[in-house]
């Protein structure tokens, strides 16, 4: 995702009686008609069926509050969780779909592990997503020590 970020929203998600921990929201530059959107980032360690319900609620809440189209980005640490998270979420009855959510998913299958310190320093946001997606990789700590050792 190479889009300029305008700001990060640090407020915890709390819509009425439903509290939610985690997640990062970033507003991407531009008005809606210029491609502006709200990026909601979720880190998912394992499949949790209730997440599908909370993600649809969360996206609807963000759209109502900020009047920007939300994009759900789910970062997963294994292929099975990434495959589960990428499933479309359909809300509605058997005769009509009221809402359908298509999460954008990053995981070890579609996001490479950035092991080169110079490459990591060039794109910090992508490197951060790569670290999250490859958190279970046994060589990750050695790679991160190398990145830290560059002083960038």
């Amino acid at each position: 995702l190479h889009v300029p970020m305008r700001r990060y929203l640090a407020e915890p998600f709390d819509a009425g009686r439903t509290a939610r921990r985690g997640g990062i929201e970033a507003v991407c530059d531009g008005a809606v008609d210029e491609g502006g959107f709200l990026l909601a980032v979720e880190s998912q360690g394992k499949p949790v069926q209730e997440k599908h319900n909370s993600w649809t609620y969360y996206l609807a809440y963000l759209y109502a509050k900020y009047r920007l189209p939300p994009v759900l980005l789910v970062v997963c640490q294994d292929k099975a969780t990434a495959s589960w998270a990428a499933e479309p979420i359909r809300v509605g009855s058997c005769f009509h779909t009221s809402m359908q959510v298509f999460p954008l998913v990053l995981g070890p299958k579609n996001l490479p592990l950035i092991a080169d310190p110079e490459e990591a320093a060039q794109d910090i946001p992508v490197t951060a997503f790569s670290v999250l997606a490859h958190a279970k990789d046994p060589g990750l700590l050695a790679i991160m020590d190398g990145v830290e050792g560059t002083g960038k």
Side-chain angles (χ1 to χ4, degrees), residues 35-110:
F37 62 94
L38 186 69
L39 181 65
V41 181
E42 178 86 9
S43 180
Q44 191 67 36
K46 63 181 180 180
V48 177
Q49 208 55 41
E50 294 80 30
K51 282 291 189 168
H52 285 179
N53 292 336
S54 62
W55 289 344
T56 56
Y57 177 75
Y58 185 39
L59 292 174
Y61 172 81
L62 290 173
Y63 182 71
K65 182 171 183 177
Y66 296 105
R67 298 289 187 228
L68 283 170
V71 174
L72 175 62
L73 174 63
V74 183
V75 183
C76 302
Q77 299 174 354
D78 61 74
K79 294 175 185 174
T81 302
S83 178
W84 165 83
E87 294 173 1
I89 304 163
R90 184 181 168 280
V91 178
S93 65
C94 62
F95 62 87
H96 177 74
T97 299
S98 298
M99 179 191 318
Q100 198 154 7
V101 174
F102 298 91
L104 179 61
V105 178
L106 294 178
K109 184 177 178 179
N110 65 354

Side-chain angles (χ1 to χ4, degrees), residues 133-146:
H134 294 275
K136 293 181 179 178
D137 187 310
L140 184 64
L141 289 178
I143 292 166
M144 293 311 299
D145 285 343

Side-chain angles (χ1 to χ4, degrees), residues 121-140:
Q122 289 177 8
D123 196 338
I124 300 299
V126 170
T127 299
F129 288 135
S130 177
V131 167
L132 287 172
H134 294 275
K136 293 181 179 178
D137 187 310
L140 184 64

